[in-house]
Each structure stands twice: as C-alpha cells, then as structure tokens.
Amino acid sequence: MTQINVRVDGVTYTDDVEPRTLLVHYLREQLGKVGTVIGCDTSNCGACTVHLDGAAVKSCTVLAVQADGGEVTTIEGLAPNGGLHPVQKAFHEMHGLQCGYCTPGMIMASIDLLKENPDPSETEVREGIEGNLCRCTGYQNIVRAVQQAATEMRGAGDGHVAPAEVDTAAAPHVAVNS
C-alpha cells in the first residue's frame, strides 16, 4: 500500500491505495465520487474525464498515486452549494444529453475546452470534445450546449445559440435549405 494525499472537490484526503489503483476506481470506490463514470477502461470513451491540477484527464489512464499532492475536480465538485456550473446548465437547457452516461466526462472536457478557447466555433467544439464519445445524441445539441455555455461564461449576448448548422460533409445526403 502507498499513502497518498490528494485534494478532491475542495476536500483533502489521505488514503492508502494499492500502487496499481486507477484514479477512477479511487474516486468511485474509496471516495464515493460516482459521478465519474467508468466507460471503456481503455481511454477511448472519455466518460471518466476529471480535472487533475486544472487539466482534463481520463481518470482510467491515471494511477491514484500519480495524483498524490494534486487537486482533482469531479463533476460533483464543479458547482458548490447545489448550483449548476454554466456548462451543466447549458447541457440541461439545450438537451445535450440523452442517456446521460457520457455527460459527466463530456462536461469536464467541455470546461477544459472553454478554458483554452472561450469562443469556439462549431468545428472547434467538435475537435475539442473528440476524445469523448456519445452513442445517443449525434452531438448537435452537445455542440449547441457548449456554445451556449461559452456565451454565458463570457457574459456576451442574450445567451441564445442558434441550432448547429448541418454538416453536409459528414452527411452529404442531408439537404440544406437556403
């Protein structure tokens, strides 16, 4: 066993862990942070995305011992006092989820994207979340939610984002009315 000290969602924990314990398992099994979802265990889906020292990481690729001395933010720690982070709010308002399985990781990746690019285009949003998979939504409303959150976080506009344009390169069979 190895002792680690890690700050998770604003609380400092000192725990003994097996050196091979993945961060996702530590968060879920030892700390009860079950909002961090186990998806594929291969880093392909991004469902387990959290922030480690301010950067989005797939917690199935990080050992808990690697987080020693670090700060982790999970989906549960985004908005203290029962409120919603602007990205969480936008996902709700713009229907950026269906089954919800990918949503925690998608939100964490989106927040990281908006930290680096506070006004992303549709293409930039799609590229920014490309490491996170969703099997239900088709991504249109996720893109709209990220853009809505970006607008709100910048304090710009009326908070309304128009529907995403049809990507005719990806779907050439879709007719676009002009």
Side-chain angles (χ1 to χ4, degrees), residues 11-69:
V11 178
T12 301
Y13 296 90
T14 300
D15 286 305
D16 290 327
V17 296
E18 287 287 334
R20 65 177 182 241
T21 301
L22 294 173
L23 182 58
V24 68
H25 294 294
Y26 171 71
L27 293 170
R28 290 179 58 84
E29 296 163 14
Q30 286 192 246
L31 301 186
K33 301 290 184 174
V34 295
T36 303
V37 180
I38 298 172
C40 64
D41 268 338
T42 62
S43 79
N44 287 317
C45 74
C48 67
T49 302
V50 298
H51 293 168
L52 175 59
D53 295 329
V57 298
K58 294 177 181 179
S59 60
C60 74
T61 65
V62 177
L63 297 170
V65 295
Q66 290 175 290
D68 185 30

Side-chain angles (χ1 to χ4, degrees), residues 120-122 125 142-152 154 161-162:
S121 68
E122 177 184 346
V125 172
I142 291 171
V143 171
R144 291 176 62 213
V146 173
Q147 289 182 309
Q148 166 119 348
T151 299
E152 182 178 333
R154 287 190 324 273
V161 174

Side-chain angles (χ1 to χ4, degrees), residues 40-103:
C40 64
D41 268 338
T42 62
S43 79
N44 287 317
C45 74
C48 67
T49 302
V50 298
H51 293 168
L52 175 59
D53 295 329
V57 298
K58 294 177 181 179
S59 60
C60 74
T61 65
V62 177
L63 297 170
V65 295
Q66 290 175 290
D68 185 30
E71 182 154 347
V72 176
T73 304
T74 70
I75 192 77
E76 290 101 334
L78 283 182
N81 306 322
L84 292 177
H85 184 280
V87 176
Q88 290 172 307
K89 181 179 171 212
F91 266 68
H92 171 74
E93 290 175 353
M94 303 302 281
H95 308 286
L97 62 122
Q98 282 183 10
C99 81
Y101 202 82
C102 72
T103 305

